[in-house]
Coordinates of all heavy atoms in Angstrom, one line a residue:
M1163 N 0.8 -1.2 0.0 CA 0.0 0.0 0.0 C 0.9 1.3 0.0 O 0.3 2.3 -0.1 CB -1.0 0.0 1.2 CG -2.2 -0.9 1.0 SD -3.5 -0.6 2.1 CE -3.1 -1.8 3.3
N1164 N 2.1 1.1 0.1 CA 3.0 2.2 0.0 C 2.7 3.5 0.9 O 2.7 4.6 0.5 CB 3.2 2.8 -1.5 CG 3.7 1.6 -2.4 OD1 4.5 0.8 -1.8 ND2 3.4 1.7 -3.6
G1165 N 2.4 3.2 2.1 CA 2.0 4.3 3.1 C 0.7 4.9 2.9 O 0.2 5.8 3.6
K1166 N -0.1 4.5 1.9 CA -1.4 5.1 1.6 C -2.4 4.3 2.4 O -2.3 3.0 2.5 CB -1.8 4.9 0.3 CG -1.5 6.1 -0.5 CD -2.3 6.0 -1.8 CE -1.8 6.7 -3.0 NZ -2.4 6.5 -4.3
T1167 N -3.4 4.9 3.0 CA -4.4 4.1 3.7 C -5.5 3.9 2.6 O -5.9 4.8 1.9 CB -5.1 4.9 4.8 OG1 -4.0 5.3 5.7 CG2 -6.2 4.2 5.5
R1168 N -5.9 2.7 2.4 CA -7.0 2.2 1.5 C -8.2 2.2 2.3 O -8.4 1.4 3.2 CB -6.6 1.1 0.7 CG -5.5 1.3 -0.2 CD -5.1 0.1 -1.0 NE -6.1 -0.5 -1.8 CZ -6.4 0.0 -3.1 NH1 -5.5 0.7 -3.7 NH2 -7.4 -0.6 -3.8
F1169 N -9.3 2.7 1.7 CA -10.6 2.7 2.3 C -11.5 1.8 1.5 O -11.1 1.5 0.3 CB -11.3 4.0 2.4 CG -10.5 5.0 3.3 CD1 -9.7 5.9 2.8 CD2 -10.8 5.0 4.7 CE1 -9.0 6.8 3.6 CE2 -10.2 5.9 5.5 CZ -9.2 6.8 5.0
H1170 N -12.4 1.2 2.1 CA -13.4 0.5 1.3 C -14.6 1.2 1.0 O -15.1 2.1 1.8 CB -13.8 -0.9 2.3 CG -12.7 -1.8 2.5 ND1 -12.3 -2.7 1.6 CD2 -11.9 -1.9 3.5 CE1 -11.2 -3.3 2.1 NE2 -11.0 -2.9 3.3
I1171 N -15.1 1.0 -0.1 CA -16.4 1.6 -0.5 C -17.5 0.9 0.2 O -17.5 -0.4 0.2 CB -16.7 1.6 -2.0 CG1 -15.5 2.4 -2.8 CG2 -18.0 2.1 -2.4 CD1 -15.6 2.2 -4.3
V1172 N -18.4 1.6 0.8 CA -19.5 1.0 1.5 C -20.8 1.2 0.6 O -21.0 2.3 0.2 CB -19.8 1.7 2.9 CG1 -21.0 1.1 3.5 CG2 -18.6 1.6 3.7
F1173 N -21.3 0.1 0.2 CA -22.5 0.1 -0.6 C -23.7 0.4 0.4 O -24.1 -0.4 1.2 CB -22.7 -1.2 -1.3 CG -23.9 -1.2 -2.2 CD1 -23.9 -0.4 -3.3 CD2 -25.0 -2.1 -2.0 CE1 -25.0 -0.4 -4.1 CE2 -26.1 -2.1 -2.8 CZ -26.1 -1.3 -3.9
F1174 N -24.2 1.7 0.4 CA -25.1 2.1 1.4 C -26.5 1.6 1.2 O -27.1 1.1 2.1 CB -25.1 3.7 1.3 CG -26.0 4.2 2.3 CD1 -25.9 4.1 3.6 CD2 -27.1 5.0 1.9 CE1 -26.7 4.6 4.6 CE2 -27.9 5.6 2.9 CZ -27.8 5.5 4.2
I1175 N -27.0 1.6 0.0 CA -28.4 1.2 -0.2 C -28.7 0.8 -1.7 O -28.0 1.3 -2.6 CB -29.4 2.4 0.2 CG1 -30.9 1.9 0.4 CG2 -29.3 3.5 -0.7 CD1 -31.7 2.8 1.2
L1176 N -29.5 -0.2 -1.8 CA -29.8 -0.8 -3.1 C -31.3 -1.0 -3.2 O -31.9 -1.6 -2.4 CB -29.1 -2.1 -3.4 CG -29.4 -2.8 -4.6 CD1 -28.9 -2.1 -5.9 CD2 -28.8 -4.2 -4.5
F1177 N -31.9 -0.3 -4.2 CA -33.3 -0.5 -4.5 C -33.4 -1.1 -5.9 O -32.7 -0.7 -6.8 CB -34.1 0.8 -4.4 CG -34.0 1.5 -3.1 CD1 -33.2 2.5 -2.8 CD2 -34.8 1.0 -2.1 CE1 -33.2 3.1 -1.6 CE2 -34.9 1.6 -0.9 CZ -34.1 2.7 -0.6
I1178 N -34.4 -1.9 -6.1 CA -34.7 -2.3 -7.6 C -36.1 -1.9 -7.7 O -37.0 -2.3 -7.1 CB -34.5 -3.8 -7.7 CG1 -33.1 -4.2 -7.5 CG2 -34.9 -4.3 -9.1 CD1 -32.7 -5.7 -7.7
V1179 N -36.3 -1.1 -8.7 CA -37.6 -0.5 -9.0 C -38.1 -0.9 -10.4 O -37.3 -0.8 -11.4 CB -37.6 1.1 -9.0 CG1 -38.9 1.7 -9.2 CG2 -37.0 1.5 -7.6
S1180 N -39.3 -1.5 -10.4 CA -39.8 -1.8 -11.8 C -40.2 -0.7 -12.6 O -41.0 0.2 -12.1 CB -41.0 -2.9 -11.6 OG -41.5 -3.2 -12.8
V1181 N -40.0 -0.6 -13.9 CA -40.5 0.4 -14.7 C -41.5 -0.4 -15.6 O -41.2 -1.1 -16.5 CB -39.3 0.9 -15.6 CG1 -39.9 2.0 -16.6 CG2 -38.2 1.5 -14.7
K1182 N -42.7 0.0 -15.3 CA -43.9 -0.9 -16.0 C -43.9 -0.6 -17.5 O -43.7 0.4 -18.0 CB -45.3 -0.4 -15.4 CG -45.3 -0.6 -13.9 CD -45.3 -2.1 -13.6 CE -45.5 -2.3 -12.1 NZ -45.2 -3.7 -11.7
G1183 N -44.1 -1.7 -18.2 CA -44.3 -1.7 -19.7 C -43.0 -1.5 -20.5 O -43.1 -1.5 -21.6
I1184 N -41.9 -1.4 -19.9 CA -40.6 -1.2 -20.7 C -39.7 -2.4 -20.5 O -38.7 -2.5 -21.3 CB -39.9 0.0 -20.2 CG1 -40.8 1.3 -20.3 CG2 -38.6 0.3 -20.9 CD1 -40.3 2.6 -19.9
S1185 N -40.0 -3.3 -19.7 CA -39.3 -4.5 -19.5 C -37.8 -4.3 -19.1 O -36.9 -4.8 -19.6 CB -39.3 -5.4 -20.8 OG -38.7 -6.6 -20.5
Q1186 N -37.7 -3.3 -18.2 CA -36.3 -3.1 -17.6 C -36.5 -2.7 -16.1 O -37.7 -2.3 -15.7 CB -35.6 -2.0 -18.3 CG -36.1 -0.6 -18.2 CD -35.3 0.4 -18.9 OE1 -34.4 0.1 -19.7 NE2 -35.5 1.6 -18.7
L1187 N -35.5 -2.9 -15.4 CA -35.5 -2.4 -14.0 C -34.4 -1.4 -13.8 O -33.4 -1.4 -14.5 CB -35.2 -3.7 -13.1 CG -36.2 -4.8 -13.2 CD1 -35.8 -6.0 -12.3 CD2 -37.6 -4.4 -12.8
T1188 N -34.6 -0.5 -12.8 CA -33.6 0.5 -12.5 C -33.0 0.1 -11.1 O -33.7 0.0 -10.1 CB -34.2 1.9 -12.4 OG1 -34.7 2.2 -13.7 CG2 -33.0 2.9 -12.1
V1189 N -31.6 -0.1 -11.0 CA -31.0 -0.3 -9.8 C -30.5 1.0 -9.3 O -29.8 1.8 -10.0 CB -29.7 -1.2 -10.0 CG1 -29.0 -1.4 -8.7 CG2 -30.3 -2.6 -10.5
L1190 N -30.9 1.5 -8.1 CA -30.5 2.8 -7.6 C -29.7 2.5 -6.3 O -29.9 1.6 -5.6 CB -31.7 3.6 -7.2 CG -32.8 3.8 -8.3 CD1 -34.1 4.3 -7.6 CD2 -32.2 4.7 -9.3
G1191 N -28.8 3.3 -6.0 CA -28.0 3.3 -4.8 C -27.2 4.5 -4.5 O -27.2 5.4 -5.3
S1192 N -26.6 4.5 -3.3 CA -25.6 5.6 -2.9 C -24.4 5.0 -2.4 O -24.4 4.0 -1.8 CB -26.3 6.3 -1.8 OG -27.5 7.0 -2.2
L1193 N -23.3 5.6 -2.6 CA -22.0 5.1 -2.3 C -21.4 6.1 -1.2 O -21.3 7.3 -1.5 CB -21.0 5.1 -3.5 CG -21.5 4.0 -4.5 CD1 -20.5 4.1 -5.7 CD2 -21.4 2.6 -3.9
I1194 N -21.0 5.6 -0.1 CA -20.4 6.3 1.0 C -19.3 5.5 1.5 O -19.1 4.4 1.3 CB -21.4 6.7 2.2 CG1 -21.9 5.3 2.8 CG2 -22.5 7.5 1.6 CD1 -22.6 5.4 4.0
D1195 N -18.2 6.2 2.2 CA -17.1 5.5 2.7 C -17.5 5.1 4.2 O -18.5 5.4 4.7 CB -15.8 6.2 2.6 CG -15.8 7.5 3.3 OD1 -16.6 7.7 4.3 OD2 -14.9 8.3 3.0
K1196 N -16.5 4.5 4.8 CA -16.7 4.0 6.3 C -17.0 5.2 7.2 O -17.6 5.0 8.3 CB -15.6 3.2 6.8 CG -15.6 1.8 6.2 CD -14.5 1.0 6.7 CE -14.5 -0.4 6.1 NZ -13.4 -1.3 6.8
T1197 N -16.6 6.4 6.9 CA -16.8 7.5 7.7 C -18.0 8.4 7.5 O -18.3 9.3 8.1 CB -15.6 8.5 7.7 OG1 -15.4 9.0 6.3 CG2 -14.3 7.8 8.1
G1198 N -18.8 7.8 6.4 CA -20.0 8.5 6.0 C -19.9 9.6 5.1 O -21.0 10.1 4.6
N1199 N -18.8 9.7 4.4 CA -18.6 10.7 3.3 C -19.0 10.1 2.1 O -18.8 8.9 1.8 CB -17.2 11.1 3.2 CG -16.6 11.8 4.4 OD1 -17.3 12.8 4.9 ND2 -15.4 11.5 4.9
V1200 N -19.8 10.8 1.2 CA -20.2 10.4 -0.1 C -19.1 10.2 -1.0 O -18.0 10.9 -0.9 CB -21.4 11.3 -0.6 CG1 -22.5 11.4 0.2 CG2 -20.7 12.7 -1.0
I1201 N -19.2 9.4 -2.0 CA -18.1 9.1 -3.0 C -18.6 9.5 -4.3 O -19.3 8.7 -5.1 CB -17.7 7.6 -2.9 CG1 -17.4 7.2 -1.5 CG2 -16.6 7.3 -3.9 CD1 -17.0 5.8 -1.3
P1202 N -18.4 10.8 -4.8 CA -18.9 11.2 -6.1 C -17.8 10.7 -7.2 O -16.7 10.6 -6.9 CB -18.9 12.7 -6.0 CG -17.7 13.0 -4.9 CD -17.8 11.8 -4.0
G1203 N -18.4 10.4 -8.3 CA -17.6 10.1 -9.4 C -17.0 8.7 -9.4 O -16.2 8.2 -10.2
A1204 N -17.6 7.8 -8.5 CA -17.2 6.4 -8.4 C -17.8 5.7 -9.7 O -18.9 6.0 -10.2 CB -17.7 5.7 -7.1
I1205 N -17.1 4.7 -10.2 CA -17.5 4.0 -11.4 C -18.3 2.8 -10.9 O -17.9 2.0 -10.0 CB -16.3 3.4 -12.2 CG1 -15.4 4.7 -12.7 CG2 -16.7 2.6 -13.4 CD1 -16.2 5.7 -13.4
V1206 N -19.5 2.6 -11.5 CA -20.4 1.4 -11.3 C -20.4 0.6 -12.5 O -20.8 1.1 -13.7 CB -21.8 1.8 -10.9 CG1 -22.6 0.6 -10.7 CG2 -21.7 2.8 -9.7
K1207 N -19.9 -0.6 -12.6 CA -19.8 -1.4 -13.8 C -20.8 -2.6 -13.5 O -20.6 -3.3 -12.5 CB -18.4 -1.9 -14.1 CG -18.3 -2.8 -15.3 CD -16.8 -3.2 -15.4 CE -16.7 -4.2 -16.6 NZ -15.3 -4.6 -16.7
V1208 N -21.7 -2.9 -14.5 CA -22.6 -4.0 -14.4 C -22.2 -5.0 -15.4 O -22.1 -4.8 -16.5 CB -24.0 -3.5 -14.6 CG1 -25.0 -4.8 -14.4 CG2 -24.4 -2.4 -13.6
T1209 N -22.0 -6.3 -14.9 CA -21.6 -7.3 -15.9 C -22.6 -8.6 -15.5 O -23.2 -8.7 -14.5 CB -20.2 -7.9 -15.7 OG1 -20.0 -8.4 -14.4 CG2 -19.3 -6.7 -15.9
T1210 N -22.6 -9.5 -16.5 CA -23.3 -10.8 -16.2 C -22.3 -11.6 -15.3 O -21.1 -11.3 -15.1 CB -23.5 -11.5 -17.6 OG1 -22.3 -11.9 -18.2 CG2 -24.4 -10.8 -18.4
P1211 N -22.8 -12.8 -14.7 CA -21.9 -13.6 -13.9 C -20.6 -14.1 -14.6 O -19.6 -14.2 -14.0 CB -22.7 -14.8 -13.4 CG -24.1 -14.2 -13.5 CD -24.2 -13.2 -14.7
D1212 N -20.7 -14.1 -16.0 CA -19.5 -14.7 -16.7 C -18.8 -13.5 -17.3 O -17.9 -13.7 -18.2 CB -20.0 -15.6 -17.9 CG -20.9 -15.0 -18.9 OD1 -21.2 -13.8 -18.7 OD2 -21.2 -15.7 -19.9
S1213 N -18.9 -12.3 -16.7 CA -18.1 -11.1 -16.9 C -18.4 -10.4 -18.3 O -17.6 -9.5 -18.7 CB -16.6 -11.4 -16.9 OG -16.2 -11.9 -15.6
A1214 N -19.5 -10.7 -19.0 CA -19.8 -9.8 -20.2 C -20.4 -8.5 -19.7 O -21.3 -8.4 -18.8 CB -21.0 -10.6 -20.9
F1215 N -19.8 -7.5 -20.2 CA -20.3 -6.0 -19.9 C -21.8 -5.8 -20.3 O -22.2 -6.2 -21.4 CB -19.4 -5.1 -20.6 CG -19.8 -3.6 -20.3 CD1 -19.4 -3.1 -19.0 CD2 -20.6 -2.8 -21.1 CE1 -19.8 -1.7 -18.7 CE2 -20.9 -1.6 -20.9 CZ -20.5 -1.0 -19.6
V1216 N -22.5 -5.2 -19.3 CA -23.9 -5.0 -19.6 C -24.1 -3.4 -19.7 O -24.6 -2.9 -20.6 CB -24.9 -5.5 -18.5 CG1 -26.3 -5.0 -18.6 CG2 -24.7 -7.0 -18.4
T1217 N -23.7 -2.7 -18.6 CA -23.9 -1.3 -18.6 C -23.0 -0.7 -17.6 O -22.4 -1.4 -16.8 CB -25.3 -0.9 -18.4 OG1 -25.5 0.6 -18.6 CG2 -25.8 -1.2 -17.0
G1218 N -22.9 0.6 -17.4 CA -22.2 1.2 -16.4 C -22.7 2.7 -16.1 O -23.5 3.2 -16.9
A1219 N -22.1 3.3 -15.0 CA -22.5 4.6 -14.7 C -21.4 5.1 -13.8 O -20.6 4.4 -13.3 CB -23.8 4.7 -14.0
A1220 N -21.6 6.4 -13.4 CA -20.7 7.0 -12.3 C -21.7 7.6 -11.3 O -22.8 8.1 -11.6 CB -19.8 8.1 -13.0
S1221 N -21.2 7.6 -10.0 CA -22.1 8.2 -9.1 C -22.0 9.7 -9.2 O -21.0 10.4 -9.6 CB -21.5 7.8 -7.6 OG -20.2 8.2 -7.4
D1222 N -23.1 10.4 -8.8 CA -23.1 11.9 -9.0 C -22.5 12.6 -7.7 O -21.9 11.9 -7.0 CB -24.6 12.3 -9.1 CG -25.5 12.0 -7.9 OD1 -25.0 11.8 -6.8 OD2 -26.7 12.1 -8.1
T1223 N -22.6 13.8 -7.6 CA -22.0 14.6 -6.6 C -22.4 14.2 -5.2 O -21.8 14.6 -4.2 CB -22.1 16.1 -6.8 OG1 -23.5 16.5 -6.9 CG2 -21.4 16.6 -8.0
S1224 N -23.6 13.6 -5.2 CA -24.2 13.1 -3.8 C -23.8 11.6 -3.5 O -24.4 11.1 -2.6 CB -25.6 13.4 -3.8 OG -26.0 14.8 -3.9
G1225 N -23.1 11.0 -4.4 CA -22.8 9.6 -4.4 C -23.8 8.6 -4.9 O -23.8 7.4 -4.7
N1226 N -24.8 9.2 -5.5 CA -26.1 8.4 -5.9 C -25.7 7.9 -7.4 O -25.0 8.5 -8.2 CB -27.2 9.2 -6.0 CG -27.7 9.7 -4.6 OD1 -27.5 8.9 -3.6 ND2 -28.0 11.0 -4.5
F1227 N -26.2 6.7 -7.7 CA -26.2 6.2 -9.0 C -27.4 5.5 -9.4 O -28.2 5.0 -8.7 CB -25.0 5.2 -9.1 CG -25.1 3.9 -8.4 CD1 -25.8 2.9 -9.0 CD2 -24.8 3.8 -7.0 CE1 -26.0 1.6 -8.4 CE2 -25.1 2.6 -6.4 CZ -25.6 1.5 -7.0
S1228 N -27.6 5.2 -10.7 CA -28.7 4.4 -11.2 C -28.2 3.7 -12.5 O -27.5 4.3 -13.3 CB -29.9 5.3 -11.4 OG -29.8 6.1 -12.5
V1229 N -28.7 2.5 -12.7 CA -28.3 1.7 -13.9 C -29.6 0.9 -14.3 O -30.3 0.5 -13.3 CB -27.1 0.8 -13.8 CG1 -25.8 1.5 -13.7 CG2 -27.2 -0.2 -12.5
N1230 N -29.9 0.8 -15.5 CA -31.0 0.0 -16.0 C -30.5 -1.4 -16.4 O -29.5 -1.6 -17.0 CB -31.6 0.7 -17.2 CG -32.2 2.0 -16.9 OD1 -32.8 2.2 -15.7 ND2 -32.1 3.0 -17.7
V1231 N -31.3 -2.4 -15.9 CA -31.0 -3.7 -16.3 C -32.3 -4.5 -16.6 O -33.4 -4.0 -16.4 CB -30.4 -4.5 -15.1 CG1 -28.9 -3.9 -14.8 CG2 -31.2 -4.4 -13.8
K1232 N -32.1 -5.8 -17.1 CA -33.3 -6.6 -17.5 C -33.8 -7.3 -16.2 O -33.0 -7.7 -15.4 CB -33.0 -7.5 -18.7 CG -32.6 -6.7 -20.0 CD -32.3 -7.6 -21.0 CE -32.1 -6.9 -22.3 NZ -31.7 -7.9 -23.4
P1233 N -35.2 -7.7 -16.3 CA -35.7 -8.5 -15.2 C -35.3 -10.0 -15.4 O -34.9 -10.3 -16.4 CB -37.2 -8.3 -15.4 CG -37.4 -7.9 -16.8 CD -36.2 -7.1 -17.2
N1234 N -35.3 -10.7 -14.3 CA -35.1 -12.2 -14.3 C -33.6 -12.5 -14.7 O -33.5 -13.5 -15.4 CB -36.1 -12.8 -15.3 CG -37.2 -13.6 -14.5 OD1 -37.1 -13.7 -13.3 ND2 -38.0 -14.1 -15.3
Q1235 N -32.7 -11.7 -14.3 CA -31.3 -12.0 -14.6 C -30.4 -11.8 -13.4 O -30.8 -11.2 -12.4 CB -30.8 -10.8 -15.6 CG -31.6 -10.8 -16.9 CD -31.3 -12.0 -17.8 OE1 -30.2 -12.5 -17.9 NE2 -32.4 -12.5 -18.4
K1236 N -29.3 -12.5 -13.5 CA -28.3 -12.3 -12.4 C -27.2 -11.3 -12.9 O -26.8 -11.4 -14.1 CB -27.5 -13.6 -12.1 CG -28.6 -14.6 -11.3 CD -27.9 -15.9 -11.0 CE -28.9 -16.8 -10.3 NZ -28.3 -18.1 -10.0
Y1237 N -26.7 -10.5 -12.1 CA -25.7 -9.4 -12.4 C -24.7 -9.4 -11.3 O -24.9 -9.6 -10.1 CB -26.3 -8.0 -12.6 CG -27.3 -8.0 -13.7 CD1 -28.6 -8.0 -13.5 CD2 -26.9 -7.9 -15.0 CE1 -29.6 -7.9 -14.5 CE2 -27.8 -7.8 -16.1 CZ -29.1 -7.9 -15.8 OH -30.0 -7.8 -16.9
L1238 N -23.5 -8.9 -11.7 CA -22.5 -8.6 -10.8 C -22.1 -7.0 -10.9 O -21.9 -6.5 -12.0 CB -21.2 -9.3 -11.0 CG -19.9 -9.1 -10.1 CD1 -20.3 -9.4 -8.7 CD2 -18.7 -9.8 -10.6
L1239 N -22.3 -6.3 -9.8 CA -22.0 -4.9 -9.8 C -20.6 -4.7 -9.2 O -20.2 -5.2 -8.2 CB -23.0 -4.1 -9.0 CG -24.4 -3.9 -9.6 CD1 -25.1 -5.1 -9.9 CD2 -25.2 -2.9 -8.7
K1240 N -19.8 -3.9 -9.9 CA -18.4 -3.6 -9.4 C -18.4 -2.1 -9.1 O -18.7 -1.3 -10.0 CB -17.3 -3.9 -10.5 CG -15.9 -3.6 -10.0 CD -14.9 -4.0 -11.1 CE -13.5 -3.5 -10.7 NZ -12.5 -3.8 -11.7
F1241 N -17.9 -1.7 -8.0 CA -17.9 -0.3 -7.6 C -16.3 0.0 -7.4 O -15.6 -0.6 -6.7 CB -18.6 0.0 -6.3 CG -20.0 -0.4 -6.3 CD1 -20.4 -1.6 -5.9 CD2 -20.9 0.5 -6.8 CE1 -21.8 -2.0 -6.0 CE2 -22.3 0.1 -6.9 CZ -22.7 -1.2 -6.5
S1242 N -15.9 1.1 -8.2 CA -14.5 1.4 -8.1 C -14.3 2.9 -8.0 O -15.1 3.7 -8.5 CB -13.8 1.1 -9.5 OG -14.0 -0.3 -9.8
Y1243 N -13.2 3.3 -7.2 CA -12.8 4.7 -7.1 C -11.4 4.7 -6.7 O -11.0 3.9 -5.9 CB -13.7 5.2 -5.9 CG -13.6 6.8 -5.8 CD1 -14.2 7.6 -6.8 CD2 -12.9 7.3 -4.8 CE1 -14.0 9.0 -6.8 CE2 -12.8 8.7 -4.7 CZ -13.4 9.5 -5.8 OH -13.2 10.9 -5.6
L1244 N -10.6 5.6 -7.3 CA -9.3 5.7 -7.0 C -9.0 5.9 -5.5 O -9.5 6.7 -4.9 CB -8.7 7.0 -7.8 CG -7.1 7.0 -7.7 CD1 -6.5 5.9 -8.4 CD2 -6.8 8.3 -8.5
G1245 N -8.1 5.0 -5.0 CA -7.7 5.0 -3.6 C -8.5 4.2 -2.6 O -8.2 4.1 -1.5
Y1246 N -9.5 3.6 -3.2 CA -10.4 2.7 -2.6 C -10.3 1.3 -3.0 O -10.1 1.1 -4.2 CB -11.9 3.2 -2.6 CG -12.3 4.5 -1.9 CD1 -11.8 5.7 -2.3 CD2 -13.0 4.4 -0.8 CE1 -12.1 6.8 -1.7 CE2 -13.4 5.6 -0.1 CZ -12.9 6.8 -0.5 OH -13.2 8.0 0.1
A1247 N -10.6 0.3 -2.1 CA -10.7 -1.0 -2.7 C -12.0 -1.3 -3.4 O -13.0 -0.7 -3.1 CB -10.5 -2.1 -1.4
D1248 N -11.9 -2.0 -4.5 CA -13.1 -2.3 -5.3 C -14.1 -3.1 -4.4 O -13.7 -4.0 -3.5 CB -12.8 -3.1 -6.5 CG -12.0 -2.3 -7.5 OD1 -11.9 -1.1 -7.4 OD2 -11.5 -2.9 -8.5
L1249 N -15.3 -2.9 -4.6 CA -16.5 -3.7 -4.0 C -17.3 -4.4 -5.1 O -17.6 -3.7 -6.1 CB -17.4 -2.6 -3.2 CG -18.6 -3.3 -2.5 CD1 -18.2 -4.1 -1.4 CD2 -19.5 -2.2 -2.0
F1250 N -17.6 -5.6 -4.8 CA -18.4 -6.4 -5.7 C -19.7 -6.7 -5.0 O -19.7 -7.1 -3.9 CB -17.7 -7.7 -6.2 CG -16.4 -7.3 -7.0 CD1 -15.2 -7.2 -6.3 CD2 -16.6 -7.3 -8.3 CE1 -14.1 -6.8 -7.1 CE2 -15.4 -7.0 -9.0 CZ -14.2 -6.8 -8.4
K1251 N -20.8 -6.7 -5.7 CA -22.2 -6.9 -5.2 C -22.9 -7.7 -6.2 O -23.1 -7.3 -7.4 CB -22.9 -5.7 -4.9 CG -24.3 -5.9 -4.3 CD -24.3 -6.6 -3.0 CE -25.7 -6.6 -2.5 NZ -25.8 -7.3 -1.2
S1252 N -23.2 -9.0 -5.9 CA -24.2 -9.8 -6.8 C -25.6 -9.5 -6.6 O -26.0 -9.4 -5.4 CB -23.9 -11.4 -6.5 OG -22.6 -11.7 -6.9
I1253 N -26.4 -9.4 -7.6 CA -27.8 -9.2 -7.4 C -28.5 -10.1 -8.4 O -28.0 -10.6 -9.4 CB -28.2 -7.7 -7.7 CG1 -27.9 -7.3 -9.2 CG2 -27.5 -6.8 -6.7 CD1 -28.5 -6.0 -9.6
E1254 N -29.8 -10.4 -8.2 CA -30.7 -11.1 -9.0 C -31.9 -10.3 -9.2 O -32.6 -10.0 -8.1 CB -30.9 -12.5 -8.5 CG -31.7 -13.3 -9.5 CD -31.8 -14.8 -9.1 OE1 -31.1 -15.2 -8.1 OE2 -32.6 -15.5 -9.7
T1255 N -32.3 -9.9 -10.3 CA -33.5 -9.1 -10.5 C -34.7 -9.9 -10.7 O -34.7 -11.1 -11.0 CB -33.4 -8.2 -11.8 OG1 -33.1 -9.1 -12.9 CG2 -32.2 -7.3 -11.7
A1256 N -35.9 -9.4 -10.3 CA -37.1 -10.1 -10.3 C -37.9 -9.8 -11.6 O -37.5 -9.1 -12.4 CB -37.9 -9.7 -9.1
N1257 N -39.1 -10.5 -11.7 CA -40.0 -10.2 -12.8 C -40.5 -8.8 -12.7 O -40.6 -8.3 -11.6 CB -41.1 -11.1 -12.8 CG -40.7 -12.5 -13.2 OD1 -39.8 -12.7 -14.1 ND2 -41.3 -13.5 -12.6
D1258 N -40.8 -8.2 -13.8 CA -41.4 -6.7 -13.7 C -42.9 -6.8 -13.6 O -43.5 -7.8 -13.4 CB -41.0 -5.9 -14.9 CG -41.2 -6.5 -16.3 OD1 -41.8 -7.6 -16.3 OD2 -41.0 -5.8 -17.2

């Protein structure tokens, strides 16, 4: 770590909201560190379990992000930010 303290990204909250009639879901969340500070500009990468890229986004100035995914699927979310350890979160979406 070369004298640098590495912090972990804390995945604060995850909601899956159905968008009726469009056959997609929106994953919403907020990224904060262990001290409660928001993490703006963090990269959110969504892949399938076999690592195929699906979509991505960056958190806004309040640490919030949203990505659209399909229902009835499994995904792996990767959260990255310079100076922080990456965080991975597996999710499975429901029917819409």
Side-chain angles (χ1 to χ4, degrees):
M1163 285 196 264
N1164 299 333
K1166 266 195 204 177
T1167 303
R1168 291 183 57 95
F1169 295 95
H1170 294 280
I1171 296 172
V1172 176
F1173 184 62
F1174 181 63
I1175 192 163
L1176 173 70
F1177 296 104
I1178 299 180
V1179 180
S1180 177
V1181 179
K1182 299 293 181 196
I1184 300 177
S1185 190
Q1186 72 178 9
L1187 302 172
T1188 302
V1189 178
L1190 305 168
S1192 298
L1193 297 172
I1194 60 170
D1195 65 17
K1196 286 184 177 183
T1197 63
N1199 295 316
V1200 298
I1201 304 174
I1205 301 300
V1206 181
K1207 180 180 175 184
V1208 182
T1209 64
T1210 61
D1212 61 354
S1213 300
F1215 179 78
V1216 175
T1217 190
S1221 59
D1222 64 17
T1223 56
S1224 299
N1226 300 316
F1227 71 90
S1228 67
V1229 289
N1230 295 323
V1231 295
K1232 293 181 180 179
N1234 256 354
Q1235 301 290 320
K1236 292 181 181 180
Y1237 296 102
L1238 180 64
L1239 281 63
K1240 177 183 177 184
F1241 304 94
S1242 304
Y1243 191 72
L1244 187 62
Y1246 288 71
D1248 292 347
L1249 175 71
F1250 295 87
K1251 176 73 176 173
S1252 294
I1253 63 168
E1254 186 169 352
T1255 57
N1257 290 326
D1258 53 3

